[in-house]
């Protein structure tokens, strides 16, 4: 049981390049989330999904797209990376979302956009 | 709009002391409140979850309390150890959607040997 895994762990992009971050969970969780963490700002929700085939916007969705084609995977895409998207990205999953189940987090992806 | 605040941003105490971390939130209509621990370069690990109907939760040397009416939660750590050094974050579900969770910016705790 690997929990929540994220690929890749590190990435450096040039402005304008695109990339996809992959999140996978093996706990059969319904809800999955993408957060970004910046110094002094805590975690901010980018997008989330309440089930296979569904996605919804969080606090800071601009510049990102997501897809949930399979229940166990949640992909985060950057179509045209900008330096403001330099951050650490965390994926999380939970069984029912919000309450009462807790969220399980992946180890993070550190992204630098030059 | 729910906002979560954690003060102080950083705290350093000598080993063996008892300490309290604070979390405040603006909308008292919450379903629950969670405390997480984050080690440098790592993801978040859930420590305690308090349901809205509960006043406190305990796990080992950790005790979390919840006062919805005042919009506050505290995390009490007894007999602190160097291994407790980490960033501690609190989080509450957004009231308008239980699917969203709002995090505080965390308190970075350092325990001096």
């Amino acid at each position: 049981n690997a929990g929540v895994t994220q690929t890749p762990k590190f990435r450096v992009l040039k402005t304008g390049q695109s990339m996809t971050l992959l999140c996978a969970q093996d706990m059969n969780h319904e809800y999955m989330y993408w957060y970004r963490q910046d110094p002094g700002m805590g975690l901010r929700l980018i997008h989330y999904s309440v089930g296979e085939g569904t996605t919804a916007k969080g606090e800071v969705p601009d510049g990102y797209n997501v897809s949930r084609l399979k229940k166990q995977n949640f992909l985060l895409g950057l179509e045209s990376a900008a330096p403001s998207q330099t951050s650490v990205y965390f994926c999380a999953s939970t069984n029912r979302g919000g309450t009462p189940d807790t969220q399980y987090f992946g180890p993070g992806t550190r992204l630098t956009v030059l | 709009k729910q906002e979560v605040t954690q003060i102080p941003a950083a705290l350093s105490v000598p080993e063996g002391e008892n300490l309290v971390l604070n979390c405040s939130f603006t909308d008292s209509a919450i379903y629950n409140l969670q405390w997480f621990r984050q080690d440098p370069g790592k993801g978040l690990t859930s420590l305690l979850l308090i349901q809205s109907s509960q006043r406190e939760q305990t796990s080992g040397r950790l005790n979390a309390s919840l006062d919805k009416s005042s919009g506050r939660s505290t995390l009490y750590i007894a007999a602190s150890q160097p291994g407790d050094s980490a960033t501690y974050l609190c989080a509450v579900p957004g009231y308008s959607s239980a699917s969203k969770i709002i995090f505080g910016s965390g308190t970075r705790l350092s325990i001096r040997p």
Side-chain angles (χ1 to χ4, degrees):
Chain A
N1 191 332
V4 180
T5 59
Q6 292 183 232
T7 309
K9 289 186 171 53
F10 303 94
R11 186 72 184 268
V12 178
L13 291 178
K14 294 181 179 178
T15 297
Q17 287 185 319
S18 63
M19 77 164 293
T20 300
L21 281 68
L22 171 63
C23 175
Q25 52 93 4
D26 60 2
M27 297 173 282
N28 202 34
H29 284 171
E30 290 292 333
Y31 286 35
M32 296 186 74
Y33 308 78
W34 275 108
Y35 293 92
R36 60 177 290 173
Q37 185 176 37
D38 302 294
M41 300 190 71
L43 278 81
R44 292 182 292 169
L45 182 63
I46 304 171
H47 286 280
Y48 65 101
S49 167
V50 301
E52 182 178 319
T54 72
T55 62
K57 295 181 180 180
E59 262 184 283
V60 289
D62 295 340
Y64 305 95
N65 57 75
V66 288
S67 65
R68 183 94 180 271
L69 299 179
K70 294 183 179 180
K71 186 177 183 180
Q72 63 268 33
N73 295 336
F74 195 28
L75 278 63
L76 177 71
L78 287 73
E79 290 185 349
S80 179
S84 61
Q85 294 177 304
T86 293
S87 186
V88 181
Y89 292 85
F90 288 101
C91 176
S93 70
T94 187
N95 198 23
R96 282 184 281 175
T99 183
D101 293 337
T102 191
Q103 291 191 326
Y104 294 84
F105 280 81
T109 295
R110 187 173 297 273
L111 175 66
T112 301
V113 183
L114 302 175
Chain B
K1 179 184 175 184
Q2 178 72 272
E3 294 182 1
V4 181
T5 304
Q6 292 183 250
I7 296 173
L11 181 65
S12 178
V13 300
E15 180 179 2
E17 279 201 3
N18 303 325
L19 60 99
V20 174
L21 305 180
N22 298 299
C23 171
S24 61
F25 45 93
T26 55
D27 187 343
S28 62
I30 60 171
Y31 295 105
N32 61 36
L33 184 143
Q34 298 182 38
W35 282 93
F36 292 85
R37 169 184 173 138
Q38 184 177 27
D39 293 293
K42 304 291 186 182
L44 279 69
T45 301
S46 179
L47 296 173
L48 290 165
L49 183 151
I50 312 176
Q51 301 292 355
S52 60
S53 58
Q54 298 175 318
R55 296 283 292 183
E56 63 179 51
Q57 276 284 343
T58 298
S59 176
R61 294 182 294 107
L62 305 180
N63 177 277
S65 69
L66 175 63
D67 184 344
K68 285 177 55 179
S69 61
S70 66
R72 292 185 178 182
S73 175
T74 62
L75 179 66
Y76 175 83
I77 302 177
S80 59
Q81 303 170 359
D84 294 330
S85 297
T87 297
Y88 292 81
L89 298 97
C90 66
V92 297
Y95 181 70
S96 61
S97 170
S99 305
K100 302 181 184 181
I101 296 194
I102 312 299
F103 283 83
S105 56
T107 294
R108 189 172 66 255
L109 177 64
S110 176
I111 306 299
R112 307 190 299 271

